[in-house]
Amino acid sequence: DLHSFPTRRSSDLTNESVITVFYENSTRTRLSFELACKYLSGTASGMTASASSVAKGETLIDTARTLDVMGTDVMILRHPMTGAPHLMARHVRASVINAGDGTNEHPTQALLDMFSMEERFGSLEGLRVAIVGDVTHSRVARSNIYGLGKMGAKVVVAGPATLMPVEIESLGCEATCRVDDAIRGADVVMGLRIQLERQKKGLFPSIREYHKYFGDRKSTRLNSSHNQRSR
């Protein structure tokens, strides 16, 4: 809670130039980066694809090089293509931060999720975390699986078979198509939205049917020892 801090500002990024380069819409991620930069006394600027030369056909690499020669120190990229931040980083001198790439990862969101869990429980070691929903298209789910696994938590993912990546368990988690099995004994339950903007074909009959089996959990009861500490 920033309002509880004696001061929000520091001089850690004095004389540093940061640009958010967003090819996808965003509210929380973009503003969080830009405000954090300002709180740390850096210079924050923002670029959206729809209001830039990208709309005229400029490539990602050309855009990156243009921003780089303007003296940018940090580029924060959100892009619909998996691997875009790695591609950009190979062509610029600036540091590149991944703010979400395709269906690959969203590392800063996972760091925030993990921080919230540690703040609540004191440690991530031994926690059981259930991630439910559209796992196939969720970069947040992947980053959480990697991060939570490294910190000793057990991750279980659940969702329709058509929204479950092939060999998802190779990432170090368990997988099930039954929500009840995933959340039984869970310390944390994370709900994922359906990312219709990334789906090219119907992967479930209807929103109503999806909600019936994977959204409405009124009939589900966790055992009493976990009810008080589940989030």
Side-chain angles (χ1 to χ4, degrees):
D1 181 1
L2 288 174
H3 297 289
S4 66
F5 292 167
T7 176
R8 301 184 193 182
R9 301 190 177 278
S10 75
S11 58
D12 293 338
L13 291 182
T14 299
N15 298 323
E16 299 292 326
S17 175
V18 178
I19 295 182
T20 54
V21 187
F22 276 50
Y23 285 69
E24 293 181 313
N25 294 334
S26 172
T27 299
R28 288 167 291 276
T29 301
R30 179 176 175 177
L31 288 177
S32 292
F33 273 114
E34 292 181 0
L35 287 172
C37 178
K38 291 176 181 178
Y39 294 152
L40 297 174
S41 302
T43 301
S45 302
M47 190 211 89
T48 58
S50 61
S52 71
S53 292
V54 173
K56 304 181 214 176
E58 185 173 82
T59 67
L60 173 63
I61 293 175
D62 285 342
T63 297
R65 286 172 171 166
T66 298
L67 298 176
D68 200 39
V69 298
M70 290 180 178
T72 305
D73 297 299
V74 180
M75 299 182 195
I76 301 167
L77 177 66
R78 169 169 284 192
H79 200 282
M81 182 182 76
T82 294
H86 301 282
L87 175 63
M88 176 183 276
R90 292 201 297 267
H91 294 275
V92 298
R93 291 169 296 177
S95 299
V96 177
I97 296 176
N98 184 359
D101 64 321
T103 58
N104 182 36
E105 283 203 66
H106 194 340
T108 56
Q109 177 65 59
L111 287 171
L112 177 60
D113 293 337
M114 293 166 62
F115 175 80
S116 299
M117 295 178 206
E118 184 165 4
E119 191 175 48
R120 172 66 177 84
F121 295 100
S123 173
L124 300 177
E125 183 76 31
L127 287 184
R128 178 182 173 90
V129 180
I131 302 177
V132 179
D134 184 359
V135 180
T136 290
H137 301 98
S138 177
R139 52 198 179 198
V140 172
R142 283 175 177 75
S143 288
N144 269 291
I145 290 170
Y146 292 137
L148 288 166
K150 288 182 180 294
M151 298 302 293
K154 180 179 181 180
V155 180
V156 183
V157 296
T162 53
L163 295 178
M164 192 70 66
V166 176
E167 299 182 350
I168 183 67
E169 292 176 304
S170 66
L171 301 183
C173 64
E174 293 184 13
T176 177
C177 290
R178 291 179 52 83
V179 176
D180 290 349
D181 292 340
I183 67 176
R184 186 175 297 113
D187 300 291
V188 180
V189 177
M190 183 182 301
L192 305 172
R193 71 179 180 88
I194 301 171
Q195 299 197 33
L196 294 175
E197 73 275 15
R198 300 189 190 281
Q199 297 184 20
K200 303 302 182 183
K201 55 186 177 180
L203 297 176
F204 48 86
S206 68
I207 296 292
R208 177 172 294 183
E209 181 164 317
Y210 176 89
H211 182 264
K212 177 180 178 181
Y213 293 103
F214 295 94
D216 186 0
R217 311 313 303 160
K218 292 180 181 178
S219 61
T220 301
R221 296 289 183 270
L222 299 179
N223 63 68
S224 58
S225 66
H226 288 85
N227 271 345
Q228 295 301 314
R229 59 191 193 119
S230 295
R231 287 292 182 273

